[in-house]
Amino acid sequence: VVSENTSLMYDGERFYGVQIVGNAMIYSANLQTYFICGNKGTISKSTDLKNWTTSSISAVIQKDLLDINIASDNTIFAVGTGGAIIKSSDGNTWSTIESNTQETLNAIGIFYQNFVAVGNNGVIVYYTNNACTLISSGVSVNLNDVMYIGFYFKIVGNEGVVLSASSTLSRIDVVDIGTTEDLFRIYVDTNIETNVYYLGANGTIIKGHTSFIAGDYTPIETSVTNTLKAGGYSVKLNTYFFGGIGVILGGYNDTELTSILQGENYNFNDIQNINDILYCVGDNGLIYKRENELWQKIASGTEANLTAIIYVEEKGFIIVGQGVVLSSQDGNLWSINDTLFQGLYLTSVAYSSKDENFYITTKNTSGQYGQVYKTENFESKTLLYTNSKSNFLKIVYLRHATESDSDY
């Protein structure tokens, strides 16, 4: 997944973030190098997806580069704003190609050593024999992606437009796949290679067939309104992933997708390993758990900031936060107590097996400072201590190995 300022990379074992500016990525097996194209004529390169070097080719072109692809002869092509097209055989030296248009080119699809670039206002550029020709698409909407699949170029655009074009673009047909949502990406299923997914606005996923069988299109329910722009399949995890603006969906099949990450900004406050399952809690009621190598968002029922989570045998899960205490027996269904500590900002929680009480700390709210409370069952509370100068952020229960007493 590549987006401006941050790229989310997957190395076969884990996802990790890389701070670079980019719009699209391609891998050159010949050069054993990953390439990412970016704005204002920037190209980033890496051999391991971890260490990146970014260089400017502004002497060649200063336009924003929006997509990059590689031909069968290992020539690398990139397209972008103002009809920009550049190419390189080694990833170091680049030259421009006259596109015969000033329209923004959003995507490029390769057929052996030829390519098709598509862009705004229905523009299609066909490249063959080292020259570009403008082809009439018959539509005026922005075209956002193109891919050569099953002897045809598949093209998608705004207002649900899908085009099917022959390899030489001598024929272009409009295909109705049953949506009027803007479409941004074509994903070919690497698990079942005859399946094609069309991704777009308002959580749109339309499943089709590589052969463009008439009427063989199935909408997939996603329950999100985010714009989807990427698809993938992990053999190791046996999981489909679909991602876009502020969301990643995952599932063991394409009909049971759940949101494993949603929202653009997260502030997590605590993470705990409970029975070999990771739980994270954070601001705005966020609860996530990681089980069987898959992250899942859990409905908390509150928008309060959550600060700490613990698990106690026979008592279950406890989460504390901004004026709230959440409890659960299974970590999935949560009950909310928002009256006992109303007006207090709870920062941490610990449990004493000696006296079977929970101990809770707070931080400054409404003129108060750090306090320590205890409660047996969250029906009533006892104030133990108030610090007039500092907040309390963490409480830990320690059992001495050689004594029967315990400290906090």
Side-chain angles (χ1 to χ4, degrees), residues 8 246-249 258-263 266 268 288 295 297:
L8 180 65
V247 67
I248 298 178
L249 304 173
T258 60
S259 175
I260 58 176
L261 192 65
Q262 188 168 7
Y266 296 90
F268 289 112
Y288 277 85
W295 285 99
K297 185 178 181 181

Side-chain angles (χ1 to χ4, degrees), residues 83-307:
I85 303 178
I86 60 173
K87 70 174 182 178
S88 175
S89 59
D90 59 7
N92 296 314
T93 302
W94 296 82
S95 60
T96 61
I97 298 174
E98 176 55 54
S99 65
N100 299 313
T101 182
Q102 292 298 310
E103 296 286 355
T104 291
L105 299 176
N106 297 312
I108 179 173
I110 299 292
F111 174 62
Y112 293 105
Q113 298 177 28
N114 304 332
F115 69 72
V116 169
V118 300
N120 291 354
N121 297 309
V123 69
I124 296 179
V125 176
Y126 178 49
Y127 176 84
T128 184
N129 298 323
N130 299 312
C132 290
T133 303
L134 290 179
I135 304 294
S136 175
S137 66
V139 299
S140 59
V141 300
N142 292 351
L143 302 176
N144 301 314
D145 197 19
V146 55
M147 184 177 292
Y148 187 78
I149 309 168
F151 307 107
Y152 293 92
F153 283 102
K154 319 296 187 189
I155 301 169
V156 297
N158 291 357
E159 301 179 11
V161 165
V162 177
L163 305 177
S164 174
S166 62
S167 59
T168 61
L169 273 72
S170 59
R171 176 176 175 176
I172 300 178
D173 296 314
V174 177
V175 181
D176 182 7
I177 68 169
T179 184
T180 57
E181 296 287 354
D182 293 346
L183 300 174
F184 293 98
R185 194 68 67 227
I186 305 167
Y187 164 62
V188 178
D189 190 347
T190 55
N191 180 41
I192 304 174
E193 295 182 355
T194 57
N195 291 337
V196 179
Y197 298 88
Y198 303 90
L199 314 178
N202 292 311
T204 298
I205 303 178
I206 306 292
K207 181 179 179 180
H209 194 277
T210 55
S211 64
F212 263 127
I213 298 174
D216 188 21
Y217 301 99
T218 304
I220 295 176
E221 176 62 39
T222 62
S223 299
V224 299
T225 58
N226 307 66
T227 295
L228 301 179
K229 290 190 172 185
Y233 177 79
S234 168
V235 176
K236 180 177 180 179
L237 302 180
N238 187 29
T239 300
Y240 286 91
F241 293 98
F242 295 95
I245 300 176
V247 67
I248 298 178
L249 304 173
Y252 295 117
N253 58 65
D254 58 20
T255 61
E256 298 179 358
L257 298 174
T258 60
S259 175
I260 58 176
L261 192 65
Q262 188 168 7
E264 295 182 349
N265 297 299
Y266 296 90
N267 186 21
F268 289 112
N269 300 311
D270 193 22
I271 182 170
Q272 296 292 334
N273 186 338
I274 301 173
N275 298 328
D276 294 325
I277 300 175
L278 287 179
Y279 289 84
C280 292
V281 297
D283 289 354
N284 301 313
L286 286 178
I287 304 176
Y288 277 85
K289 75 173 183 179
R290 184 179 188 270
E291 185 177 13
N292 297 324
E293 301 185 347
L294 185 65
W295 285 99
Q296 180 182 357
K297 185 178 181 181
I298 306 298
S300 67
T302 180
E303 294 183 355
N305 294 342
L306 305 178
T307 54

Side-chain angles (χ1 to χ4, degrees), residues 9-11 16 18 25 34 46-52:
M9 302 299 182
Y10 179 67
D11 65 2
Y16 51 90
V18 179
M25 181 172 69
Y34 295 88
S46 174
T47 57
D48 59 7
L49 285 177
K50 299 177 182 179
N51 302 298
W52 291 85

Side-chain angles (χ1 to χ4, degrees), residues 324-390:
V324 299
V325 176
L326 278 62
S327 59
S328 174
Q329 291 299 314
D330 60 6
N332 294 312
L333 299 175
W334 295 87
S335 298
I336 302 174
N337 183 336
D338 57 4
T339 58
L340 183 62
F341 290 95
Q342 186 176 11
L344 297 175
Y345 204 119
L346 313 184
T347 57
S348 68
V349 57
Y351 179 76
S352 167
S353 57
K354 179 183 177 181
D355 62 10
E356 298 184 343
N357 279 307
F358 291 93
Y359 290 79
I360 295 170
T361 60
T362 73
K363 70 177 183 179
N364 180 24
T365 58
S366 303
Q368 296 176 321
Y369 287 88
Q371 298 176 318
V372 179
Y373 291 86
K374 78 171 182 179
T375 179
E376 180 180 0
N377 51 20
F378 294 98
E379 295 179 357
S380 62
K381 65 182 185 295
T382 301
L383 176 61
L384 301 179
Y385 180 75
T386 298
N387 188 325
S388 61
K389 296 182 178 180
S390 302

